[in-house]
Amino acid sequence: MDIATILGLVGAIGVIVTLIMIDGGNFAQYFDKHAVIIIFGGSAVATMARFPLGVIGHSLPMGFKAALAMPKSSPRQLVEEIASIADVARKQGPNALEKLDVSDPTLAQGIRYIADGYDADFIRQTMETDKDNVYAQLDEAQKVYRSIGDCAPAFGMVGTILGMVNMFANMTDPSKLGPIMAMALLATLYGAVVSNFVCLPIADKCHLKMAEEDLNRSIIIDGVIQIRNQKSPQVVKEMLLAYLTPHDRHHLAEAA
């Protein structure tokens, strides 16, 4: 689990609850059904106008899951594991790879291709296509969440304007001005919270996960191809070190 995402979402809720408690703890005054309808209903229909229902249906859970999940392996772990697999393939042959327990499913798939005797072009094309599909799905997820994040404040402003119109239309009845003004301000509040505390952070986290997924899968694909071409473990490791940061290279050098 990505602890940063969890801490961020829980912390956002904690900040709001703390401020309400400081102001007296009257949570009921911060709820308004009109504001809920304009924010959540408006954002939903605007998002449906931008994206097909199928894209929205799989992007919402996928984006949330991606924001909460950590990569199965870090780039440094992948380089070390691929180098050890190359050593096994060099000493015992490709058939020995079938017995290996590989934690990363993408790497396990590549190792299976080698053990089954597929040629390098087929392996690269298939794994590149799979990488592109995953990248496209994460890109759709971050676009859907960013769309909601863009819509929510706008509909908060719409709710505020509607409240102001209603307030000016009822100036002759002072008893209605307070509730109407509260509804107008709560619409802005809901829009800001949904956008800046939930949707935009998840969209940004999905964008980061896209970069992580692209890096990890590139390391795996190049490593698998080098093993398939029967390169030595040292050559495989040196080639993959180019993907790592200087910090990770330093740690690998110390470990060696």
Side-chain angles (χ1 to χ4, degrees), residues 1-253:
M1 298 292 287
D2 191 333
I3 303 300
T5 302
I6 298 173
L7 290 177
L9 295 176
V10 173
I13 297 173
V15 168
I16 296 173
V17 170
T18 300
L19 290 175
I20 294 176
M21 294 296 293
I22 291 174
D23 291 336
N26 186 3
F27 288 90
Q29 70 181 3
Y30 289 92
F31 175 78
D32 185 87
K33 60 184 179 182
H34 299 90
V36 170
I37 292 172
I38 190 64
I39 294 300
F40 292 96
S43 298
V45 297
T47 303
M48 285 188 287
R50 293 185 180 187
F51 301 95
L53 285 176
V55 172
I56 298 173
H58 78 76
S59 294
L60 289 177
M62 181 179 183
F64 189 74
K65 181 180 178 181
L68 292 178
M70 290 291 289
K72 295 178 177 62
S73 303
S74 69
R76 189 173 72 188
Q77 291 171 333
L78 285 174
V79 171
E80 291 177 323
E81 187 172 10
I82 292 171
S84 66
I85 293 172
D87 188 54
V88 172
R90 185 70 176 268
K91 293 178 179 178
Q92 304 179 31
N95 291 334
L97 300 180
E98 294 180 349
K99 303 176 183 178
L100 294 180
D101 183 18
V102 181
S103 58
D104 190 283
T106 304
L107 180 56
Q109 180 191 41
I111 297 306
R112 180 176 61 82
Y113 287 155
I114 296 174
D116 291 343
Y118 290 101
D119 63 80
D121 290 338
F122 172 86
I123 294 174
R124 180 177 291 280
Q125 182 177 356
T126 303
M127 298 187 72
E128 288 281 0
T129 301
D130 187 55
K131 182 183 79 168
D132 292 341
N133 287 337
V134 173
Y135 193 90
Q137 290 177 1
L138 284 172
D139 187 46
E140 286 179 345
Q142 70 99 7
K143 286 179 179 178
V144 168
Y145 274 97
R146 198 171 301 282
S147 172
I148 299 173
D150 292 339
C151 289
F155 278 98
M157 184 59 65
V158 170
T160 299
I161 293 173
L162 291 175
M164 296 291 289
V165 171
N166 197 10
M167 184 182 70
F168 286 124
N170 289 275
M171 291 293 288
T172 56
D173 188 354
S175 64
K176 294 183 179 180
L177 299 184
I180 294 174
M181 191 61 185
M183 183 275 289
L185 295 177
L186 285 174
T188 301
L189 174 64
Y190 290 174
V193 169
V194 169
S195 175
N196 296 290
F197 281 10
V198 181
C199 292
L200 292 182
I202 291 178
D204 289 338
K205 188 58 69 77
C206 287
H207 184 74
L208 290 175
K209 293 303 170 71
M210 288 166 57
E212 292 174 356
E213 192 73 22
D214 183 61
L215 174 61
N216 285 354
R217 285 178 178 256
S218 296
I219 291 174
I220 290 171
I221 293 171
D222 282 347
V224 167
I225 295 301
Q226 294 302 311
I227 295 173
R228 174 63 182 80
N229 292 334
Q230 300 179 346
K231 299 295 184 180
S232 70
Q234 189 60 33
V235 169
V236 173
K237 186 174 183 178
E238 288 296 331
M239 190 202 73
L240 297 181
L241 284 176
Y243 284 104
L244 302 184
T245 63
H247 179 266
D248 284 339
R249 294 182 199 177
H250 177 70
H251 276 279
L252 276 180

